Amino acid sequence: MTDSQLAVIVLAAGQGTRMKSRTPKVLHPLGGRTVVGHVVEAARRLEAAHVLAVVRHERDLVAASISEQLPDVLIVDQDDVPGTGRAVELAVAALPAGFSGDVLVLNGDVPLLTAETLGDLIARHRETGASATILSAILDDATGYGRIIRGADGELDRIVEHKDATEAELAAREINAGIYLFGFAALREQLAALTTDNAQGEKYVTDVLGLLRTAGAAVAALPVSDAWEVEGINDRVQLAAAAARLNTVTIERWQRAGVTVQDPRTTWIDVQATLAPDVTLKPGTQILGPSVIESDAVIGPDTTLFAVEVGAGAEVKRTEASHSVIGAGATVGPFTFLRPGTILGANGKIGGFVETKNAVIGAGSKVPHLSYVGDATIGDETNIGAGTIFANYDGVNKASSTVGSHVRIGSHSVVVAPVTIGDGAYSGAGTVVRKNVPAGSLAINVSPQRNLEGWTESKRPGSAAALAAETANSPTADN
Ligand code: UD1
Ligand code: CA
């Protein structure tokens, strides 16, 4: 149900200098979404009446990425005044007239925060009636973070940025997580009082807390129980650490739901993937994007699936596959490359050193060895002989071929598209199928074989091959 009293502001305008990247920091990927994508997803799950995202650096890229994920988002452009305080000020000004509820401000670079933790924050804030409630964390190493400075009464007094802190303030281990819930009126009033009078010459949203306290308002900082939830991403060391942490959480969630993960250290599962009980993941497996793995499927070792559906009981080993469907009981691999649009029917097989693309392969059909199947539809219970190539490209245009059910394509055939091979047809080994083959016909077009007797002895006299041939052909040969 929509929370009409809630507006969420996602801060995503910063450059992320410490990433040293052409890609904006908030668009770096981890666990199947961008950094800011995780924040936007948490915001979406809160069902706030308004979600706003503030952008500036690489504005179009960041805005497009966020809008694609959350079409209802209101994009706010930050001007040349730097700082998180300015970003919030502009977003608050963009809120619809008449809004008077709570404003949740989320740093766009804190991706592991869960909607549950945010829900608790909102509930606590509304219970206590404070003007502001924020999340904090106790860290062993607080370097870089804003420090929570508590007064003699133990309540939050103000936040000091690392660069502005004194020696004594730097010793504080409680940090500001960059997650704030404000009453709208209190926030708007204090934003107007922000200055850029600090070490970085920026308007800090963190100063709103100290200003509120000075004005006599109630503010509270709630330490989270799991500090990793609020870790910010500022450089690539933190990015990798957060990705690893998210992966561990995701894997443990699936393990508790009945999935066997033989080697969690070398297994990666994106947040959008779903796995049924009794799936087994062998070492070196990546289940990426919105992949769906049904029960009793065995995936790996060394397999990467992106947006792939794997049916119950299927086996997929040493395979790279994307945007494909593998039917129940089917087998794929080892050393197999399924490109987008591959659909393998139940109990089918795509074997070693086979590449497929846009290929619909029916139930029980097999492409066991060393083949390319591109732009083809194959019926049920058909066998494609070793080394068969579906030639789908004449150098200018692509075309498709159709193969029926119960067909036997001989080894090393070339199926030159567009061509149709009827049910129950055969092709001889080495056939180049350029014309349609009616149902039940055998297609052959290789020329008859001639054997030139004695060729080696006469054309390669004295060679090892000639001597071997001479021995084999001598009347005393014992064969
Ligand atoms: C900020 C907090 C710090 C806190 C830390 C938690 C301030 C002043 N400091 O520091 O107290 O401990 O987060 O991770 O807020 N952004 C804008 N516009 C800007 C600048 C930043 O939208 O002008 C966005 C960034 O894209 C980023 C977020 O705000 O998503 C935080 O900015 P960042 O520069 O990373 O702040 P920190 O130095 O980490
Ligand atoms: Ca940060």
Side-chain angles (χ1 to χ4, degrees):
M1 211 184 66
T2 304
D3 184 344
S4 64
Q5 293 305 299
L6 185 66
V8 182
I9 298 172
V10 177
L11 305 185
Q15 184 174 353
T17 326
R18 289 164 278 182
M19 293 295 281
K20 305 210 164 65
S21 176
R22 260 178 291 121
T23 303
K25 172 172 76 175
V26 294
L27 294 191
H28 276 258
L30 86 155
R33 300 188 198 281
T34 61
V35 168
V36 73
H38 289 278
V39 181
V40 169
E41 175 62 15
R44 192 187 63 75
R45 290 185 52 195
L46 294 173
E47 300 187 70
H50 313 283
V51 179
L52 302 89
V54 187
V55 298
R56 183 181 58 209
H57 177 69
E58 292 284 10
R59 181 248 176 244
D60 290 349
L61 273 180
V62 178
S65 171
I66 295 175
S67 300
E68 191 191 338
Q69 187 182 351
L70 192 68
D72 289 345
V73 74
L74 180 63
I75 299 293
V76 176
D77 284 288
Q78 189 171 349
D79 56 17
D80 289 339
V81 179
T84 50
R86 181 60 173 171
V88 173
E89 193 179 3
L90 292 169
V92 163
L95 273 170
F99 178 79
S100 63
D102 298 315
V103 180
L104 177 64
V105 175
L106 303 175
N107 272 8
D109 63 351
V110 181
L112 302 190
L113 195 68
T114 63
E116 289 71 34
T117 299
L118 290 175
D120 291 348
L121 171 69
I122 294 166
R124 262 299 276 281
H125 178 79
R126 289 177 175 170
E127 264 163 42
T128 60
S131 293
T133 312
I134 71 165
L135 292 182
S136 69
I138 315 291
L139 298 188
D140 290 332
D141 179 7
T143 308
Y145 287 97
R147 306 299 205 280
I148 305 283
I149 308 299
R150 289 183 182 267
D153 57 357
E155 293 300 325
L156 182 151
D157 192 51
R158 62 207 156 85
I159 299 172
V160 183
E161 288 307 293
H162 185 109
K163 287 183 178 150
D164 298 293
T166 63
E167 256 338 275
E169 288 166 338
L170 284 179
R173 284 174 49 227
E174 186 179 7
I175 62 100
N176 166 36
I179 312 298
Y180 322 82
L181 191 55
F182 297 105
F184 172 74
L187 173 63
R188 195 175 51 179
E189 185 185 345
Q190 300 306 338
L191 284 170
L194 291 183
T195 70
T196 57
D197 185 13
N198 52 53
Q200 301 184 82
E202 297 181 355
K203 284 192 177 183
Y204 294 160
V205 70
T206 47
D207 284 348
V208 169
L209 284 303
L211 289 167
L212 282 172
R213 270 289 273 199
T214 309
V219 302
L222 302 179
V224 295
S225 42
D226 287 317
W228 55 262
E229 251 199 70
V230 296
E231 271 172 31
I233 310 295
N234 298 303
D235 61 29
R236 298 192 199 225
V237 175
Q238 288 170 319
L239 178 68
R245 177 68 216 182
L246 178 59
N247 191 49
T248 299
V249 171
T250 304
I251 286 177
E252 286 178 1
R253 180 159 55 86
W254 290 117
Q255 287 175 315
R256 295 212 164 83
V259 173
T260 293
V261 180
Q262 290 183 346
D263 185 13
R265 292 166 310 166
T266 61
T267 302
W268 291 83
I269 305 177
D270 275 353
V271 291
Q272 303 94 331
T274 56
L275 299 91
D278 285 319
V279 162
T280 296
L281 303 184
K282 295 190 169 184
T285 291
Q286 297 169 283
I287 309 293
L288 307 179
S291 291
V292 178
I293 317 295
E294 300 293 356
S295 59
D296 300 303
V298 179
I299 316 289
D302 300 329
T303 291
T304 302
L305 307 182
F306 184 89
V308 174
E309 283 174 39
V310 180
E315 246 185 88
V316 184
K317 61 175 74 154
R318 295 189 206 280
T319 290
E320 163 99 26
S322 63
H323 301 285
S324 293
V325 177
I326 295 167
T331 60
V332 175
F335 308 109
T336 303
F337 184 21
L338 308 188
R339 292 163 53 201
T342 299
I343 300 176
L344 176 61
N347 303 312
K349 176 182 174 118
I350 302 179
F353 303 101
V354 174
E355 176 179 336
T356 60
K357 184 214 73 174
N358 248 339
V360 179
I361 300 170
S365 288
K366 297 182 167 63
V367 189
H369 330 274
L370 301 157
S371 290
Y372 174 63
V373 182
D375 300 314
T377 303
I378 297 172
D380 298 340
E381 303 294 339
T382 282
N383 192 78
I384 307 296
T388 294
I389 303 297
F390 281 69
N392 58 335
Y393 184 51
D394 63 7
V396 182
N397 297 306
K398 294 251 170 82
S400 309
S401 290
T402 304
V403 177
S405 295
H406 297 282
V407 169
R408 295 285 174 270
I409 299 291
S411 295
H412 202 247
S413 291
V414 182
V415 178
V416 183
V419 87
T420 298
I421 299 174
D423 290 346
Y426 276 61
S427 78
T431 300
V432 180
V433 182
R434 295 180 187 280
K435 294 191 297 192
N436 292 350
V437 183
S441 302
L442 167 66
I444 40 170
N445 56 17
V446 279
S447 43
Q449 176 174 322
R450 289 192 299 149
N451 294 335
L452 306 182
E453 283 180 22
W455 185 91
T456 310
E457 285 168 84
S458 87
K459 296 295 185 190
R460 301 287 183 270
S463 68
L467 286 173
E470 199 177 312
T471 307
N473 288 334
S474 81
T476 57
D478 56 351
N479 55 8

